[in-house]
Amino acid sequence: MIPAGNSKQNIDRFLGYQDQYDRYRPEAPPMVTSLLSNYLGGRPSVVADIGCGTGLSTFLWKNTADSVIGIEPNPDMLSKAVEKLKQEDEAQSLSFIQGYSNQLPLDSGSVDIITCSQSFHWMEPQSTLQEIARCLRPGGVFAAYDCDWPLMLQADIETRYNLLITAADNLLAELQPESQRAHKWDKEGHLARIQASGHFKFTREIVFHNTETCDAGRYVGLMLSQGGIQTVLKTGSTALDTDLAEFSAAVEAYFDGRTLPVLVSYRMRIGIK
């Protein structure tokens, strides 16, 4: 049974493309651990990464915390994280378990840092923040952080990217009854919701950047890893095929066989209990 506040549609949205997600999505930048450990006041004993997906934001902590728990409701994403963990020789501090953001399998006051990377907008915020506050120790830190899409590259390609995302959303509104659609909360409202919850004595937003290398295949893969695009493709619709092909051709022409540095911008909203 899925606890109230967790949408089956939100969880199911990420079924079936865990390999693509893990291959193309940005890894969480190392700056995350130093920023949050500084606000905590030292090395964390316990970190929980909720909505952890395939662990891209969880493995980051393997050498900077004593115990790290990745919590994920989607079975496909979770299985990929566990598969990766089995291949790690130096990740004894890590574990992955299935769980929901508003029913965390954690003791009250037991966690130093709780993170949501690219995931908080899929969680019912009120019940999730209440549960996060329950699990954090006094002085513990919560952080929800996301990168900006699309990754910075070139105006025409970014415009095509945005138009494709909008087209996918519009198609899903036609193809799926409202009761079957996933629901997400706007990321711009994260900080206000954290503040309004009343669970945190200090809140703020932090903006930072990271550079990753990218070739044409990865940039196109990032587009195809977006949930709306994947959901349209899973319906069997071919309505986006031409636009996707034109987007891929434009990306291929721009990279022209090169691998280039690409700037990734992040927005982090934090609360200290």
Coordinates of all heavy atoms in Angstrom, one line a residue, residues 185-255:
W185 N 5.1 19.4 -7.9 CA 5.0 20.7 -7.4 C 6.1 21.6 -8.0 O 7.2 21.1 -8.3 CB 5.2 20.6 -5.8 CG 3.9 20.1 -5.2 CD1 3.0 20.9 -4.5 CD2 3.5 18.8 -5.1 NE1 2.0 20.0 -4.0 CE2 2.3 18.7 -4.3 CE3 4.1 17.5 -5.5 CZ2 1.6 17.6 -4.1 CZ3 3.4 16.4 -5.2 CH2 2.2 16.4 -4.5
D186 N 5.9 22.9 -8.1 CA 6.8 23.7 -8.8 C 8.1 23.9 -7.9 O 8.0 24.1 -6.7 CB 6.2 25.1 -9.1 CG 5.8 25.9 -7.8 OD1 4.9 25.4 -7.2 OD2 6.5 26.9 -7.5
K187 N 9.2 23.8 -8.5 CA 10.5 23.9 -7.8 C 10.7 25.3 -7.2 O 11.3 25.4 -6.2 CB 11.7 23.5 -8.7 CG 11.6 22.1 -9.2 CD 12.7 21.8 -10.2 CE 12.7 20.5 -10.8 NZ 13.7 20.2 -11.8
E188 N 10.2 26.3 -7.9 CA 10.3 27.7 -7.4 C 9.7 27.9 -6.0 O 10.0 28.8 -5.3 CB 9.7 28.6 -8.4 CG 10.5 28.7 -9.7 CD 10.2 27.6 -10.7 OE1 9.2 26.8 -10.4 OE2 10.9 27.4 -11.6
G189 N 8.7 27.0 -5.7 CA 8.1 27.1 -4.4 C 8.7 26.3 -3.3 O 8.2 26.3 -2.1
H190 N 9.8 25.6 -3.6 CA 10.4 24.8 -2.5 C 10.8 25.6 -1.3 O 10.4 25.2 -0.1 CB 11.7 24.2 -3.1 CG 11.5 23.0 -4.0 ND1 10.3 22.4 -4.2 CD2 12.4 22.3 -4.7 CE1 10.4 21.4 -5.1 NE2 11.7 21.3 -5.4
L191 N 11.5 26.7 -1.4 CA 11.9 27.4 -0.2 C 10.7 28.0 0.6 O 10.7 27.8 1.8 CB 12.8 28.6 -0.7 CG 13.4 29.4 0.5 CD1 14.3 28.6 1.4 CD2 14.2 30.6 0.0
A192 N 9.7 28.5 -0.1 CA 8.5 29.0 0.6 C 7.9 27.9 1.4 O 7.4 28.1 2.5 CB 7.6 29.7 -0.4
R193 N 7.8 26.7 0.8 CA 7.1 25.6 1.5 C 8.0 25.1 2.7 O 7.4 24.8 3.7 CB 6.9 24.5 0.5 CG 5.7 24.7 -0.4 CD 5.4 23.5 -1.3 NE 6.2 23.4 -2.4 CZ 6.0 24.0 -3.6 NH1 4.9 24.7 -3.8 NH2 6.8 23.8 -4.6
I194 N 9.3 25.1 2.5 CA 10.1 24.8 3.7 C 10.0 25.8 4.8 O 9.8 25.4 6.0 CB 11.6 24.7 3.2 CG1 11.8 23.5 2.3 CG2 12.6 24.5 4.4 CD1 13.1 23.5 1.5
Q195 N 9.9 27.1 4.4 CA 9.7 28.1 5.5 C 8.4 28.0 6.1 O 8.3 28.1 7.4 CB 9.9 29.5 4.8 CG 11.3 29.8 4.4 CD 11.5 31.0 3.5 OE1 10.5 31.4 2.8 NE2 12.6 31.6 3.5
A196 N 7.3 27.8 5.3 CA 6.0 27.8 5.9 C 5.7 26.5 6.7 O 4.8 26.6 7.5 CB 5.0 27.8 4.7
S197 N 6.5 25.5 6.6 CA 6.3 24.3 7.4 C 6.4 24.5 8.9 O 5.8 23.8 9.7 CB 7.2 23.2 6.9 OG 8.6 23.4 7.4
G198 N 7.3 25.5 9.3 CA 7.5 25.8 10.7 C 8.5 24.8 11.3 O 8.6 24.9 12.6
H199 N 9.1 23.9 10.6 CA 9.9 22.9 11.2 C 11.4 23.3 11.3 O 12.2 22.6 11.9 CB 9.9 21.6 10.4 CG 8.5 21.0 10.4 ND1 7.8 20.7 11.5 CD2 7.7 20.6 9.3 CE1 6.7 20.1 11.2 NE2 6.6 20.1 9.9
F200 N 11.8 24.5 10.7 CA 13.2 24.8 10.5 C 13.5 26.2 11.1 O 12.7 27.2 10.8 CB 13.6 24.7 9.1 CG 13.3 23.4 8.5 CD1 12.2 23.1 7.8 CD2 14.2 22.3 8.7 CE1 11.9 21.9 7.2 CE2 13.9 21.1 8.2 CZ 12.8 20.8 7.4
K201 N 14.6 26.3 11.8 CA 14.9 27.6 12.4 C 15.7 28.5 11.5 O 15.8 29.7 11.7 CB 15.7 27.4 13.7 CG 17.1 26.7 13.5 CD 17.8 26.4 14.8 CE 19.1 25.7 14.5 NZ 19.8 25.3 15.8
F202 N 16.2 27.9 10.4 CA 17.0 28.7 9.4 C 16.7 28.1 8.1 O 16.8 26.9 7.9 CB 18.5 28.6 9.7 CG 19.4 29.3 8.7 CD1 19.6 30.7 8.7 CD2 20.0 28.6 7.7 CE1 20.4 31.3 7.8 CE2 20.8 29.2 6.7 CZ 21.0 30.5 6.8
T203 N 16.5 29.0 7.1 CA 16.3 28.5 5.7 C 17.0 29.5 4.8 O 17.2 30.7 5.1 CB 14.8 28.5 5.3 OG1 14.3 29.8 5.4 CG2 14.0 27.5 6.2
R204 N 17.4 29.0 3.6 CA 17.9 29.8 2.6 C 18.0 29.1 1.3 O 17.9 27.8 1.2 CB 19.3 30.5 2.9 CG 20.4 29.5 2.9 CD 21.8 30.2 2.8 NE 21.9 30.9 1.5 CZ 22.8 31.8 1.2 NH1 23.6 32.2 2.1 NH2 22.8 32.3 0.0
E205 N 18.3 29.8 0.2 CA 18.5 29.2 -1.1 C 20.0 29.5 -1.5 O 20.5 30.5 -1.2 CB 17.6 29.8 -2.2 CG 17.9 29.3 -3.6 CD 16.8 29.7 -4.6 OE1 15.6 29.5 -4.4 OE2 17.2 30.3 -5.6
I206 N 20.6 28.5 -2.1 CA 22.0 28.5 -2.5 C 22.1 28.2 -4.0 O 21.5 27.2 -4.4 CB 22.9 27.5 -1.7 CG1 22.8 27.8 -0.2 CG2 24.4 27.6 -2.2 CD1 23.3 26.7 0.7
V207 N 22.8 29.0 -4.7 CA 23.0 28.7 -6.2 C 24.5 28.4 -6.4 O 25.4 29.1 -6.0 CB 22.6 29.9 -7.0 CG1 22.7 29.6 -8.5 CG2 21.1 30.2 -6.7
F208 N 24.7 27.3 -7.2 CA 26.1 27.0 -7.5 C 26.2 26.3 -8.8 O 25.1 26.0 -9.4 CB 26.8 26.1 -6.4 CG 26.0 24.9 -6.1 CD1 26.4 23.7 -6.6 CD2 25.0 24.9 -5.2 CE1 25.8 22.5 -6.3 CE2 24.3 23.7 -4.9 CZ 24.7 22.5 -5.4
H209 N 27.4 26.0 -9.3 CA 27.6 25.4 -10.6 C 28.6 24.3 -10.6 O 29.4 24.2 -9.7 CB 28.1 26.5 -11.6 CG 27.3 27.7 -11.7 ND1 26.1 27.8 -12.4 CD2 27.4 28.9 -11.1 CE1 25.6 29.0 -12.2 NE2 26.4 29.7 -11.5
N210 N 28.5 23.4 -11.6 CA 29.4 22.3 -11.7 C 29.6 22.1 -13.2 O 28.7 22.4 -14.0 CB 28.8 21.0 -11.1 CG 29.9 19.9 -11.0 OD1 31.0 20.2 -10.6 ND2 29.5 18.7 -11.4
T211 N 30.8 21.7 -13.6 CA 31.1 21.4 -15.0 C 31.2 19.9 -15.3 O 31.9 19.2 -14.5 CB 32.4 22.1 -15.4 OG1 32.2 23.5 -15.2 CG2 32.7 21.9 -16.9
E212 N 30.5 19.4 -16.3 CA 30.6 18.0 -16.7 C 31.0 18.0 -18.2 O 30.7 18.9 -18.9 CB 29.3 17.3 -16.4 CG 28.9 17.2 -15.0 CD 28.0 16.0 -14.7 OE1 27.9 15.1 -15.6 OE2 27.4 16.0 -13.6
T213 N 31.6 16.9 -18.6 CA 31.8 16.7 -20.0 C 30.6 16.1 -20.7 O 29.9 15.3 -20.0 CB 33.1 15.8 -20.2 OG1 32.8 14.5 -19.6 CG2 34.3 16.4 -19.7
C214 N 30.4 16.4 -21.9 CA 29.2 16.0 -22.6 C 29.5 15.8 -24.1 O 30.2 16.7 -24.7 CB 28.1 17.0 -22.4 SG 26.4 16.5 -22.8
D215 N 29.0 14.8 -24.7 CA 29.0 14.7 -26.1 C 27.6 14.7 -26.7 O 26.6 14.8 -25.9 CB 29.8 13.4 -26.6 CG 29.2 12.1 -26.1 OD1 28.0 12.1 -25.5 OD2 29.9 11.1 -26.2
A216 N 27.4 14.5 -28.0 CA 26.1 14.6 -28.5 C 25.2 13.5 -28.0 O 24.0 13.7 -27.7 CB 26.2 14.5 -30.1
G217 N 25.7 12.3 -27.9 CA 24.9 11.2 -27.4 C 24.4 11.4 -26.0 O 23.2 11.1 -25.7
R218 N 25.2 12.0 -25.1 CA 24.8 12.3 -23.8 C 23.7 13.4 -23.7 O 22.8 13.3 -23.0 CB 26.0 12.6 -22.9 CG 25.5 12.7 -21.4 CD 26.5 13.1 -20.4 NE 26.0 13.1 -19.1 CZ 26.5 13.6 -18.0 NH1 27.6 14.3 -18.2 NH2 25.9 13.6 -16.9
Y219 N 23.9 14.4 -24.5 CA 23.0 15.5 -24.5 C 21.6 15.1 -25.0 O 20.6 15.4 -24.4 CB 23.5 16.7 -25.3 CG 22.9 18.0 -24.9 CD1 23.5 18.8 -23.9 CD2 21.7 18.5 -25.5 CE1 22.9 20.0 -23.5 CE2 21.1 19.7 -25.1 CZ 21.7 20.4 -24.1 OH 21.1 21.6 -23.7
V220 N 21.6 14.3 -26.0 CA 20.3 13.7 -26.5 C 19.8 12.8 -25.5 O 18.5 12.7 -25.2 CB 20.5 13.0 -27.8 CG1 19.2 12.3 -28.2 CG2 20.9 14.0 -28.9
G221 N 20.6 12.0 -24.8 CA 20.2 11.1 -23.8 C 19.6 11.8 -22.6 O 18.6 11.3 -22.0
L222 N 20.1 13.0 -22.3 CA 19.5 13.8 -21.2 C 18.0 14.1 -21.5 O 17.1 14.1 -20.7 CB 20.3 15.0 -20.9 CG 21.6 14.8 -20.1 CD1 22.5 16.0 -20.2 CD2 21.3 14.5 -18.7
M223 N 17.8 14.5 -22.8 CA 16.5 14.8 -23.2 C 15.6 13.6 -23.1 O 14.5 13.7 -22.5 CB 16.5 15.3 -24.7 CG 15.2 15.1 -25.4 SD 13.8 16.0 -24.7 CE 14.3 17.7 -25.2
L224 N 16.1 12.4 -23.5 CA 15.3 11.2 -23.5 C 15.1 10.7 -22.1 O 14.2 9.8 -21.9 CB 15.9 10.2 -24.4 CG 15.9 10.5 -25.9 CD1 16.7 9.5 -26.7 CD2 14.5 10.6 -26.5
S225 N 15.9 11.2 -21.2 CA 15.7 10.7 -19.8 C 14.7 11.5 -19.0 O 14.4 11.2 -17.9 CB 17.0 10.8 -19.0 OG 17.3 12.1 -18.6
Q226 N 14.1 12.5 -19.6 CA 13.0 13.3 -19.0 C 11.7 12.5 -18.9 O 11.3 11.9 -19.8 CB 12.8 14.6 -19.7 CG 14.1 15.5 -19.7 CD 14.6 15.9 -18.4 OE1 13.8 16.2 -17.5 NE2 15.9 15.8 -18.2
G227 N 11.1 12.6 -17.7 CA 9.9 11.7 -17.5 C 8.8 11.9 -18.4 O 8.1 11.0 -18.9
G228 N 8.5 13.2 -18.8 CA 7.5 13.5 -19.8 C 7.7 12.8 -21.1 O 6.8 12.2 -21.7
I229 N 8.9 12.9 -21.6 CA 9.3 12.3 -22.9 C 9.1 10.8 -22.8 O 8.5 10.2 -23.7 CB 10.7 12.7 -23.3 CG1 10.9 14.2 -23.4 CG2 11.1 11.9 -24.6 CD1 10.2 14.8 -24.6
Q230 N 9.6 10.2 -21.7 CA 9.5 8.8 -21.6 C 8.1 8.3 -21.5 O 7.7 7.3 -22.0 CB 10.3 8.3 -20.3 CG 11.8 8.2 -20.5 CD 12.2 7.1 -21.5 OE1 11.6 6.0 -21.4 NE2 13.2 7.4 -22.3
T231 N 7.3 9.1 -20.8 CA 5.9 8.7 -20.6 C 5.1 8.7 -22.0 O 4.4 7.8 -22.3 CB 5.2 9.6 -19.6 OG1 5.9 9.6 -18.4 CG2 3.7 9.1 -19.4
V232 N 5.4 9.7 -22.8 CA 4.8 9.7 -24.1 C 5.3 8.5 -25.0 O 4.5 7.9 -25.6 CB 5.2 11.1 -24.9 CG1 4.8 11.0 -26.3 CG2 4.5 12.2 -24.2
L233 N 6.6 8.2 -24.9 CA 7.1 7.1 -25.7 C 6.5 5.8 -25.2 O 6.2 4.9 -26.1 CB 8.6 7.1 -25.6 CG 9.3 8.3 -26.2 CD1 10.9 8.1 -26.0 CD2 9.1 8.4 -27.7
K234 N 6.2 5.7 -23.9 CA 5.7 4.4 -23.4 C 4.2 4.2 -23.8 O 3.7 3.1 -23.8 CB 5.8 4.4 -21.9 CG 7.2 4.0 -21.4 CD 7.3 3.8 -19.9 CE 7.3 5.0 -19.1 NZ 7.6 4.7 -17.7
T235 N 3.5 5.3 -24.2 CA 2.1 5.2 -24.6 C 2.1 4.6 -26.1 O 1.0 4.3 -26.6 CB 1.4 6.5 -24.6 OG1 2.0 7.4 -25.6 CG2 1.5 7.2 -23.3
G236 N 3.2 4.6 -26.8 CA 3.3 4.2 -28.1 C 3.0 5.3 -29.1 O 3.0 5.1 -30.4
S237 N 2.8 6.5 -28.6 CA 2.6 7.7 -29.5 C 3.9 8.0 -30.4 O 5.0 7.9 -29.8 CB 2.2 8.9 -28.7 OG 2.2 10.1 -29.5
T238 N 3.7 8.3 -31.6 CA 4.8 8.8 -32.5 C 4.7 10.3 -32.8 O 5.5 10.8 -33.6 CB 4.7 8.0 -33.8 OG1 3.4 8.3 -34.5 CG2 4.8 6.5 -33.6
A239 N 3.9 11.0 -32.0 CA 3.7 12.4 -32.3 C 5.0 13.2 -32.1 O 5.1 14.3 -32.7 CB 2.6 12.9 -31.4
L240 N 5.9 12.8 -31.3 CA 7.1 13.6 -31.1 C 8.3 13.1 -31.9 O 9.4 13.7 -31.9 CB 7.5 13.5 -29.6 CG 6.6 14.0 -28.5 CD1 7.2 13.9 -27.1 CD2 6.3 15.5 -28.8
D241 N 8.1 12.1 -32.7 CA 9.2 11.5 -33.4 C 10.0 12.5 -34.3 O 11.2 12.5 -34.3 CB 8.7 10.3 -34.3 CG 8.4 9.1 -33.4 OD1 8.5 9.2 -32.2 OD2 8.0 8.0 -34.0
T242 N 9.2 13.3 -35.1 CA 9.9 14.2 -36.0 C 10.7 15.2 -35.2 O 11.8 15.5 -35.5 CB 8.8 14.9 -36.9 OG1 8.2 13.9 -37.7 CG2 9.5 15.9 -37.8
D243 N 10.1 15.8 -34.2 CA 10.7 16.8 -33.4 C 12.0 16.2 -32.7 O 13.0 16.9 -32.6 CB 9.8 17.4 -32.3 CG 8.7 18.3 -33.0 OD1 9.0 18.8 -34.1 OD2 7.7 18.5 -32.4
L244 N 11.9 15.0 -32.2 CA 13.0 14.4 -31.5 C 14.1 14.1 -32.5 O 15.3 14.3 -32.2 CB 12.6 13.0 -30.9 CG 11.8 13.1 -29.6 CD1 11.2 11.8 -29.2 CD2 12.7 13.7 -28.5
A245 N 13.8 13.7 -33.7 CA 14.8 13.5 -34.8 C 15.5 14.8 -35.1 O 16.7 14.9 -35.3 CB 14.2 12.9 -36.0
E246 N 14.7 15.9 -35.2 CA 15.3 17.2 -35.6 C 16.2 17.7 -34.4 O 17.2 18.3 -34.7 CB 14.2 18.2 -35.9 CG 13.5 17.9 -37.2 CD 12.3 18.8 -37.5 OE1 12.0 19.6 -36.6 OE2 11.8 18.7 -38.6
F247 N 15.7 17.5 -33.2 CA 16.5 17.9 -32.0 C 17.9 17.1 -32.0 O 18.9 17.7 -31.9 CB 15.8 17.6 -30.8 CG 16.6 17.8 -29.5 CD1 16.7 19.1 -29.0 CD2 17.2 16.7 -28.8 CE1 17.5 19.3 -27.8 CE2 17.9 17.0 -27.7 CZ 18.0 18.2 -27.2
S248 N 17.8 15.8 -32.3 CA 19.0 15.0 -32.3 C 20.0 15.4 -33.4 O 21.2 15.5 -33.2 CB 18.7 13.5 -32.5 OG 17.9 13.0 -31.4
A249 N 19.4 15.8 -34.5 CA 20.3 16.2 -35.7 C 21.0 17.5 -35.3 O 22.2 17.7 -35.6 CB 19.4 16.3 -36.9
A250 N 20.2 18.4 -34.7 CA 20.8 19.7 -34.3 C 21.9 19.5 -33.3 O 23.0 20.2 -33.4 CB 19.7 20.7 -33.8
V251 N 21.7 18.7 -32.3 CA 22.7 18.4 -31.3 C 24.0 17.8 -31.9 O 25.1 18.2 -31.7 CB 22.2 17.5 -30.2 CG1 23.3 17.1 -29.2 CG2 21.1 18.2 -29.4
E252 N 23.8 16.8 -32.8 CA 24.9 16.1 -33.5 C 25.7 17.1 -34.3 O 26.9 17.1 -34.3 CB 24.4 15.0 -34.4 CG 23.8 13.8 -33.7 CD 24.8 12.9 -33.2 OE1 26.0 13.1 -33.4 OE2 24.4 11.9 -32.6
A253 N 25.0 18.1 -35.0 CA 25.7 19.1 -35.8 C 26.5 20.0 -34.9 O 27.7 20.4 -35.3 CB 24.7 19.8 -36.6
Y254 N 26.0 20.4 -33.8 CA 26.7 21.3 -32.9 C 27.9 20.6 -32.3 O 29.0 21.3 -32.3 CB 25.8 21.7 -31.7 CG 26.4 22.7 -30.8 CD1 26.6 24.0 -31.1 CD2 27.0 22.2 -29.6 CE1 27.2 24.9 -30.2 CE2 27.7 23.1 -28.7 CZ 27.8 24.4 -29.0 OH 28.4 25.3 -28.2
F255 N 27.8 19.4 -31.8 CA 29.0 18.8 -31.2 C 30.0 18.3 -32.2 O 31.2 18.3 -31.9 CB 28.5 17.6 -30.3 CG 28.0 18.0 -29.0 CD1 26.7 18.2 -28.7 CD2 28.9 18.1 -27.9 CE1 26.2 18.5 -27.5 CE2 28.5 18.5 -26.6 CZ 27.1 18.7 -26.4

